[in-house]
Amino acid sequence: MSPRSAAVAAPSWDDGIRITAYQDSMRFQVGALISSHYGGAPEERERSFIRFYEHPFQRDRCVRLVAVDGDRIVGLHAFFYWPYLFGAQRLASFQIGNSLVASDYRGRGIFGRLIDAS
């Protein structure tokens, strides 16, 4: 254990927020979350999200996680597959595509939990 980790107690996450895999039934709320952060119509943000992450090239390779409080999506952490050639070797690498937390849920450690779960 490092001196820093010994001095800082790990927070307890008894706030009811859970990190789980994205499901198609969450698509509207994910679009609304992206819209609330970046602007634009929630329906268009939803369509863009689905168009990109459900594309046959990404669908079974990408990683999409959400933070859920009750029935509300309050965070999103999505990586897309980014194949990379290192010499002759193809590496399966990933790029962060979307990572955000609802403004009224910031400061609660949700982003860190999404990172830890990925």
Side-chain angles (χ1 to χ4, degrees), residues 11-47:
S12 173
W13 304 117
D14 294 335
D15 57 4
I17 297 169
R18 61 187 170 81
I19 307 301
T20 189
Y22 167 85
Q23 298 173 22
D24 191 52
S25 61
M26 301 169 174
R27 62 193 289 170
F28 178 76
Q29 283 195 63
V30 166
L33 179 63
I34 295 169
S35 172
S36 72
H37 185 78
Y38 293 109
E43 298 80 7
E44 181 52 38
R45 293 295 185 173
E46 174 190 354
R47 283 191 297 273

Side-chain angles (χ1 to χ4, degrees), residues 39 55 74:
H55 186 278
V74 298

